[in-house]
Amino acid sequence: MKPHSVSGVEMRKRQAAHIEAPPQVPGQPRPNTCCLCWCGCCKCLWNEDRIERSERQTCTKMDSIEAAGEQRPSLEELLSWSRSFEMMLRSLEGREVFRDFLRSEYSEDNLLFWLACEELKKETNPSVVDEKARIIYEDYVSILSPKEVSLDSRVREGINQSLTEPSNMMYEEAQLQIYTLMHRDSFPRFLNSSVYRDLLDSRRRTCLDT
């Protein structure tokens, strides 16, 4: 006798009936519906243990992130600054430490001017460009500004002419001049300063302790 064939639809109905849990009684935990709890819907020990492991892993990961945040900048990052002025400027922590040093030498405005020019380059809105360009001029370029940066007369004259039609790149040459000044003059002194050396020694001690 030929075995009775089962259609695909009937097979799916039987499978659904097999894994479907009985109605849940209010106030009672839902019974196990599958041996591996693939759907995460039951309260068997396997599923509870899986959730607990996941929470522990998340906490451990967050603890690691917080610990890393407390120790920044890392020793590796600090050492990279000594090899590259550009790398230090790209680092938020690097800029902050370098700014502290420049403040001690009364030349903090050089870095602030450079950063303001970087922000101006990102602007595309003409009205915002016009406003920021004039603020930079009044704060750092005008001879009336108490924060005037050291620019040669040729560069300064070029900026004065650009003020009639400000652009987001109008300070590019002046920015390069200040960058070069910081790189050649301030940066070597920074690397030999107590600001940088003390921070470097502190990170080295932390690495030895761990």
Side-chain angles (χ1 to χ4, degrees):
M1 180 177 180
K2 185 177 180 180
H4 177 65
S5 62
V6 180
S7 67
V9 174
E10 185 177 354
M11 179 65 72
R12 285 194 293 273
K13 286 182 179 180
R14 291 182 183 181
Q15 291 173 342
H18 176 72
I19 65 173
E20 191 174 280
Q24 182 177 355
V25 179
Q28 293 184 2
R30 184 171 178 170
N32 295 346
T33 58
C34 56
C35 61
L36 293 179
C37 299
W38 57 271
C39 61
C41 62
C42 57
K43 295 192 176 184
C44 67
L45 293 177
W46 182 89
N47 192 46
E48 291 178 351
D49 183 60
R50 177 180 61 84
I51 294 173
E52 184 177 349
R53 286 200 308 271
S54 176
E55 291 175 345
R56 284 201 305 268
Q57 291 170 356
T58 302
C59 291
T60 302
K61 184 180 294 184
M62 290 304 298
D63 290 342
S64 300
I65 294 173
E66 291 174 358
E70 292 174 357
Q71 295 180 3
R72 295 190 69 180
S74 66
L75 176 59
E76 182 180 356
E77 185 175 2
L78 279 170
L79 292 172
S80 72
W81 298 351
S82 66
R83 297 190 294 268
S84 171
F85 179 62
E86 178 69 22
M87 191 171 294
M88 184 195 68
L89 285 185
R90 289 178 182 175
S91 164
L92 174 60
E93 293 82 4
R95 293 194 300 270
E96 290 176 350
V97 176
F98 188 53
R99 181 178 177 179
D100 286 342
F101 167 76
L102 293 177
R103 189 181 295 120
S104 71
E105 291 202 335
Y106 305 100
S107 56
E108 176 187 12
D109 294 331
N110 288 335
L111 178 61
L112 296 180
F113 170 74
W114 186 85
L115 292 171
C117 293
E118 284 292 289
E119 288 300 313
L120 178 63
K121 287 179 179 179
K122 301 174 185 177
E123 293 295 345
T124 56
N125 186 313
S127 61
V128 176
V129 169
D130 183 87
E131 180 184 4
K132 287 192 173 184
R134 295 186 185 281
I135 290 175
I136 292 174
Y137 180 83
E138 293 170 1
D139 284 350
Y140 303 105
V141 181
S142 171
I143 59 175
L144 300 177
S145 171
K147 299 188 289 186
E148 181 186 3
V149 293
S150 299
L151 298 172
D152 63 41
S153 58
R154 181 185 59 81
V155 172
R156 194 179 297 275
E157 180 59 28
I159 293 173
N160 289 335
Q161 294 176 4
S162 298
L163 281 175
T164 57
E165 294 183 10
S167 72
N168 61 350
M169 301 297 290
M170 64 177 286
Y171 292 107
E172 186 173 26
E173 192 172 1
Q175 186 187 21
L176 177 60
Q177 194 170 98
I178 294 302
Y179 177 95
T180 303
L181 176 65
M182 292 190 296
H183 187 195
R184 294 180 179 177
D185 187 47
S186 303
F187 185 56
R189 291 199 303 274
F190 165 73
L191 295 178
N192 290 314
S193 71
S194 59
V195 173
Y196 176 70
R197 290 294 178 182
D198 290 349
L199 185 58
L200 191 60
D201 290 342
S202 174
R203 288 295 177 270
R204 281 172 173 159
R205 287 194 299 270
T206 301
C207 290
L208 289 176
D209 291 341
T210 56

